[in-house]
Amino acid sequence: MSEHLPNLDLTLFDGSRASTSASHKPRILLLYGSTRERSFSRLLVEEAARLLEHFGAETRIFNPSGLPLPDDAPVDHPKVQELRDLVLWSEGQVWCSPERHGAMSAVFKAQIDWVPLELGAVRPTQGKTLAVMQVCGGSQSFNVVNQLRVLGRWMRMFTIPNQSSVPKAYMEFDEEGRMKPSPFYDRVVDVMEELVKFTVLLRDRQEFLVDRYSERKESAEQLMARVNQRSI
């Protein structure tokens, strides 16, 4: 199907590069929420990774198998460190979970719960872009993508407007695990194209966009305490 995909021009309308300094490929981490042998959230993520690479991104897919439950292992557990290293490496992310009992899976939530809001002075997810997707066993639902948006906001990420929800996912993939041509596949193409665009536009502007008054104020108060001033 790649011969029918659009090519992505990563330039602004005035002809300048969308990114002012970074010249490397956009780095996208993909997370999925099931460890089943034929996991449809994994198959959808693998399809998304192919699309992202077509659009010029570099991708990594984290395998959640072997990741302990939050607080059931020390943070130096190899799978925890692998996940945290990939989060730091990424400039954008794709989150995809099956819907179970109207919510995201425990496998998916455990991955996010291992990612702290802060690692020393570094906020691992703040300012990164995010695309959300879900797979359904039955009719189409948007429960999970809505929850993922809330979670992305809590992790201080820029969640793109578009999203993907694939109903009856068992009917949408062939025996080789490739997604069949359909309007649902077209939507995944749209989402990945949009994610690459937003990532390129925002990655060099993260520090400016996420600069917060409350955090600057805290620093100013620390400075005043150090120099024994009551006002600036």
Side-chain angles (χ1 to χ4, degrees):
M1 288 181 285
S2 61
E3 63 271 15
H4 302 299
L5 294 175
N7 291 317
L8 189 56
D9 183 8
L10 299 180
T11 56
L12 295 174
F13 64 88
D14 63 356
S16 62
R17 291 296 297 177
S19 177
T20 56
S21 61
S23 59
H24 61 271
K25 294 180 177 181
R27 299 193 294 259
I28 308 296
L29 170 64
L30 299 97
L31 306 179
Y32 60 93
S34 170
T35 57
R36 295 171 56 187
E37 182 177 355
R38 186 168 169 81
S39 162
F40 295 108
S41 61
R42 174 178 57 80
L43 294 179
L44 186 56
V45 152
E46 290 174 350
E47 201 68 52
R50 295 184 189 100
L51 293 166
L52 289 166
E53 290 171 3
H54 172 82
F55 291 132
E58 182 181 359
T59 65
R60 298 281 191 277
I61 299 175
F62 177 73
N63 181 353
S65 295
L67 182 71
L69 289 174
D71 302 324
D72 268 9
V75 295
D76 60 358
H77 187 283
K79 289 297 290 187
V80 175
Q81 286 303 303
E82 178 189 356
L83 175 60
R84 291 186 174 191
D85 288 345
L86 287 172
V87 169
L88 290 173
W89 167 85
S90 69
E91 297 169 323
Q93 295 182 24
V94 176
W95 293 355
C96 181
S97 174
E99 180 170 330
R100 292 186 175 168
H101 304 298
M104 73 184 76
S105 68
V107 170
F108 187 87
K109 184 58 162 58
Q111 296 173 75
I112 304 304
D113 286 347
W114 271 117
V115 180
L117 287 175
E118 293 187 26
L119 281 173
V122 178
R123 299 184 185 274
T125 54
Q126 180 167 295
K128 299 180 189 293
T129 53
L130 172 64
V132 296
M133 305 192 298
Q134 75 172 85
V135 292
C136 310
S139 58
Q140 191 172 41
S141 167
F142 300 95
N143 290 329
V144 170
V145 288
N146 289 336
Q147 292 170 352
L148 294 177
R149 287 185 177 277
V150 172
L151 194 54
R153 183 178 71 227
W154 189 260
M155 302 301 286
R156 299 184 178 182
M157 303 178 77
F158 294 111
T159 308
I160 66 171
N162 217 334
Q163 61 187 26
S164 169
S165 174
V166 180
K168 298 182 180 178
Y170 58 89
M171 298 179 61
E172 298 300 325
F173 294 87
D174 62 24
E175 294 181 356
E176 285 72 40
R178 294 301 306 272
M179 195 171 184
K180 301 174 185 177
S182 72
F184 300 117
Y185 174 80
D186 293 346
R187 172 59 68 89
V188 178
V189 176
D190 289 346
V191 174
M192 295 307 113
E193 183 178 20
E194 187 174 288
L195 177 63
V196 172
K197 290 177 179 177
F198 272 80
T199 303
V200 170
L201 286 169
L202 297 180
R203 64 180 178 179
D204 283 326
R205 300 163 175 84
Q206 288 182 5
E207 291 187 7
F208 171 73
L209 292 171
V210 301
D211 184 38
R212 296 182 173 209
Y213 161 74
S214 59
E215 293 167 358
R216 294 195 306 272
K217 179 173 179 285
E218 180 182 8
S219 298
E221 288 176 347
Q222 292 173 346
L223 175 62
M224 285 189 291
R226 180 168 61 84
V227 299
N228 196 26
Q229 291 180 336
R230 292 188 175 274
S231 62
I232 296 179

